[in-house]
Amino acid sequence: MRFSKEQSVAIMHTDGPMMVIAGPGSGKTTVITRRIKYLIESAGVSPADILVITFTKAAASEMEQRFKSIVSGENYHVRFGTFHSIFFWIIKRAYNLDNSSVINETEKRNILDGIIKGMSVDYDNKDEVISSVLSQISLVKCNMIDVDNYYSTDMPENYFRELYRRFEKEMKRIGKIDFDDMMVMCYDLLVNRQDILEQLRKVFKYILVDEFQDSNKLQYEILKLLGKPRENVFIVGDDDQSVYGFRGAKPEIMHAFTKDFKDVKITYLSNNYRCGKSISEASIKVISQNSNRFKKKLSSRANWDGLVKVLHPMDSRDESLLIIKSLKDHYNKGIPYEKQAVLYRTNNEPRMLVYRLNEFNIPFSISDTMPNIFDHFVIKNIIDYINIALGERSRSIFLRIMNKPSRYISRDILLEETVDFNKLISRLHRKEYVAEHIYKLEADLRLIAKMRPYAALNFIRKSVGYDDYIKDYCEYRQMDSAEFYDLLDTLAGLLQDMNSFGEMFEFIENYSEVIKSQHNNSKENNGVKLMTMHSSKGLEFDVVHIIEAVEGITPYKKAKTKAEKEEERRMFYVAMTRAKEELYIYAPRSVLGKEKRPSVFLNAFESKR
């Protein structure tokens, strides 16, 4: 097998620290496995002295299999593992732990749910809040932040800090740890037990780390402890593909490596063997706009031109139809659906497309769990209003919306399982202002019953006051209301052309069935691949479609700082470089009924319209 000059330099490196900056499609896995082989068979290193760290179990397994395939059946006992598996291997001997000590995700969520119930603030979207809190707890630990110096992104600081402390106390009480605790405990052990650290340094004399740009501060600090004083640490990564800031990964950690280790040798795998020339050139123009990066000369080594095409459909509906036509055309030309992908910034974007794909009988699989919009509380509330307008009088449903917005109706007057407005008014004991609210609600419900679904939604939001309720709900809890309004706008897009509530309920049933079937069939991995830009990292496809490349979505509206905007650009770069032969980028003129400007990222390579 022939290697480029840069690949050969990396493969034949023996002692001392080295950083390999490996661009997309540059053959980094080949370099890592060949270097392990070189260390053992040419440099005389014992396989037992080598530790190879990856970020996922799948990557570790693939790396090990690739290595075994090139060593002619030799049974070299090299240790392959993830950061978490290696750290757990270290601490379980020191602390007498086993697999039962590790808490699962459901248990963690249940603990946090109980803590939230015991505190003063209640949330209708509790599942989302729990996910956010768990993510932030992880961020605090991985970035080695004192919780008193951490400022929550979506709730009062004191409230988050109290949640954090109660959660930690409960975890200690039940004697459980999670993946972040593994790292914290490992770091503390190595700092406080020099004898154990020295033993491990003797075991792992050569350390190789894949996807180093995904490391967080805590992982890096442990790596430094294990790697010194020999400093035989070989890292492979690409600062241009650092896209996990929400997990604590930052490109600055790669830059720190050159300062924390002595005489670091750097080599660049800059040849892209994956992407057609035009795709590679366009992606390089995009990423070159970032300033916080290693300067590198990236180039395509493909012997085909490839295609980059930017389209500007009228709206998301038009976008979906264009994608479906393209998918079918490519399939008819001999490109299997499995080799075509649709990429997006967040799970919110493909909702219209998912329904259309099912409508046109195009097989597809969703890599990420896409939540059913009709399961979200704000959407459920709208449907509740419509059901009550159509005659539903269930107490449980009425309870969900009777004070959204506030009408000062006490649940104490709901004595029967079937709600009767006249009986409610009779129990108010001269609270005329509450009666007025109920009279207005009755009048609004009569109007809603006569409307088409789209008009009913707008009436509930504006005239009934549901948008005002969302505003107050979020202000009180210090949350961002924009995401809730976006959900309501998404619902508006789905309802826009419906003529009756019957049609709406049939759509909801069909849509929910599509989402459910995709969740059940996702493991089969058949058909067109739908996934977020994050999930696409490390993959490649013949044809890639990037949807909704517009301001506010890509880059995402929450990206405010320069660092956040540069990470958004890196994410777009990752998405572009998944395409081998053809790349289609869609920038709709309107999304959810709002005019949109094409993404600033397109300015780097798209000719002015």
Side-chain angles (χ1 to χ4, degrees), residues 380-410:
K380 280 184 173 180
N381 287 166
I382 299 299
I383 304 304
D384 288 339
Y385 263 109
I386 291 171
N387 274 316
I388 291 173
L390 296 177
E392 174 64 57
R393 290 295 181 268
S394 167
R395 180 178 185 272
S396 60
I397 293 178
F398 185 72
L399 276 170
R400 291 205 293 257
I401 58 94
M402 70 180 186
N403 285 313
K404 298 178 183 179
S406 179
R407 299 182 177 92
Y408 308 100
I409 303 173
S410 169

Side-chain angles (χ1 to χ4, degrees), residues 5-20:
K5 179 181 177 182
E6 292 79 10
Q7 288 175 326
S8 296
V9 167
I11 290 168
M12 292 187 287
H13 176 76
T14 53
D15 295 337
M18 173 171 264
M19 177 164 64
V20 180

Side-chain angles (χ1 to χ4, degrees), residues 565-595:
K565 290 176 181 176
E566 291 210 343
E567 178 160 321
E568 291 292 316
R569 187 176 281 108
R570 292 194 294 270
M571 217 174 305
F572 195 71
Y573 172 69
V574 166
M576 293 179 73
T577 53
R578 301 310 96 195
K580 293 168 65 177
E581 298 178 7
E582 297 181 29
L583 172 63
Y584 297 87
I585 303 173
Y586 301 81
R589 290 182 169 85
S590 76
V591 177
L592 303 178
K594 297 176 183 176
E595 287 190 14

Side-chain angles (χ1 to χ4, degrees), residues 461-476:
R461 292 182 64 177
K462 305 302 180 185
S463 297
V464 174
Y466 191 76
D467 275 8
D468 293 333
Y469 160 74
I470 290 297
K471 180 174 177 287
D472 294 340
Y473 176 90
C474 292
E475 282 181 356
Y476 180 65

Side-chain angles (χ1 to χ4, degrees), residues 387-500:
N387 274 316
I388 291 173
L390 296 177
E392 174 64 57
R393 290 295 181 268
S394 167
R395 180 178 185 272
S396 60
I397 293 178
F398 185 72
L399 276 170
R400 291 205 293 257
I401 58 94
M402 70 180 186
N403 285 313
K404 298 178 183 179
S406 179
R407 299 182 177 92
Y408 308 100
I409 303 173
S410 169
R411 64 191 301 136
D412 294 341
I413 65 172
L414 275 71
L415 304 180
E416 297 87 10
E417 286 303 311
T418 301
V419 174
D420 184 319
F421 291 143
N422 291 327
K423 287 182 179 179
L424 297 187
I425 292 169
S426 71
R427 294 168 184 156
L428 289 176
H429 306 297
R430 298 181 180 176
K431 292 180 180 178
E432 286 82 3
Y433 64 97
V434 181
E436 288 300 321
H437 283 304
I438 295 177
Y439 286 134
K440 182 181 184 304
L441 174 60
E442 282 191 287
D444 288 342
L445 293 172
R446 285 193 292 270
L447 290 172
I448 291 169
K450 299 174 183 177
M451 295 177 180
R452 292 171 61 217
Y454 180 77
L457 169 61
N458 287 330
F459 184 82
I460 293 165
R461 292 182 64 177
K462 305 302 180 185
S463 297
V464 174
Y466 191 76
D467 275 8
D468 293 333
Y469 160 74
I470 290 297
K471 180 174 177 287
D472 294 340
Y473 176 90
C474 292
E475 282 181 356
Y476 180 65
R477 293 159 181 81
Q478 293 189 19
M479 300 172 71
D480 184 4
S481 61
E483 292 188 17
F484 294 136
Y485 292 141
D486 283 351
L487 280 168
L488 292 166
D489 289 341
T490 300
L491 179 62
L494 296 173
L495 301 183
Q496 196 165 8
D497 296 330
M498 294 184 189
N499 293 310
S500 68

Side-chain angles (χ1 to χ4, degrees), residues 88-287:
F88 189 53
W89 178 80
I90 292 171
I91 65 172
K92 69 181 180 181
R93 285 159 177 77
Y95 296 110
N96 194 29
L97 303 173
D98 56 34
N99 290 341
S100 67
S101 307
V102 183
I103 195 168
N104 64 43
E105 193 67 17
T106 301
E107 289 176 298
K108 283 172 68 173
R109 296 183 74 88
N110 288 340
I111 288 172
L112 207 48
D113 186 27
I115 293 171
I116 290 172
K117 284 177 180 175
M119 295 175 68
S120 56
V121 181
D122 191 23
Y123 294 90
D124 283 326
N125 58 327
K126 192 176 291 182
D127 285 345
E128 292 177 33
V129 172
I130 289 172
S131 295
S132 174
V133 171
L134 289 175
S135 176
Q136 292 181 74
I137 289 174
S138 178
L139 200 61
V140 168
K141 293 179 181 179
C142 291
N143 280 337
M144 305 175 79
I145 302 170
D146 183 333
V147 70
D148 287 329
N149 296 326
Y150 178 77
Y151 294 88
S152 174
T153 55
D154 54 14
M155 63 183 62
E157 288 80 35
N158 291 339
Y159 184 73
F160 171 78
R161 291 166 189 166
E162 182 63 20
L163 281 172
Y164 180 95
R165 292 189 179 97
R166 292 192 187 190
F167 180 76
E168 288 297 283
K169 184 178 179 180
E170 181 61 16
M171 290 282 281
K172 285 185 174 66
R173 188 190 71 78
I174 63 175
K176 294 279 190 175
I177 63 171
D178 63 13
F179 289 123
D180 297 317
D181 294 326
M182 290 178 191
M183 294 190 289
V184 173
M185 293 172 71
C186 186
Y187 176 76
D188 290 342
L189 178 69
L190 299 184
V191 167
N192 295 311
R193 289 289 303 272
Q194 189 69 27
D195 56 329
I196 294 176
L197 177 59
E198 290 302 329
Q199 288 176 8
L200 290 167
R201 284 172 172 174
K202 290 176 183 177
V203 173
F204 302 132
K205 295 173 184 172
Y206 292 83
I207 303 175
L208 298 85
V209 184
D210 188 21
E211 302 286 8
F212 185 73
Q213 77 280 346
D214 295 338
S215 303
N216 58 48
K217 179 176 174 58
L218 186 51
Q219 290 166 338
Y220 180 52
E221 291 300 323
I222 297 172
L223 179 67
K224 284 197 295 183
L225 288 169
L226 293 173
K228 291 178 179 291
R230 286 188 178 86
E231 299 202 346
N232 291 329
V233 180
F234 181 91
I235 66 167
V236 182
D238 182 6
D239 56 321
D240 287 338
Q241 297 186 69
S242 177
V243 296
Y244 292 113
F246 64 93
R247 295 180 188 166
K250 296 178 181 178
E252 288 82 359
I253 293 175
M254 286 193 73
H255 293 268
F257 183 82
T258 62
K259 300 172 185 175
D260 295 329
F261 290 82
K262 297 176 185 176
D263 302 321
V264 175
K265 293 181 180 177
I266 303 176
T267 189
Y268 295 85
L269 305 185
S270 54
N271 294 331
N272 184 337
Y273 298 96
R274 175 194 299 148
C275 306
K277 287 184 172 63
S278 60
I279 299 169
S280 183
E281 288 167 4
S283 67
I284 291 167
K285 288 177 181 177
V286 169
I287 200 60

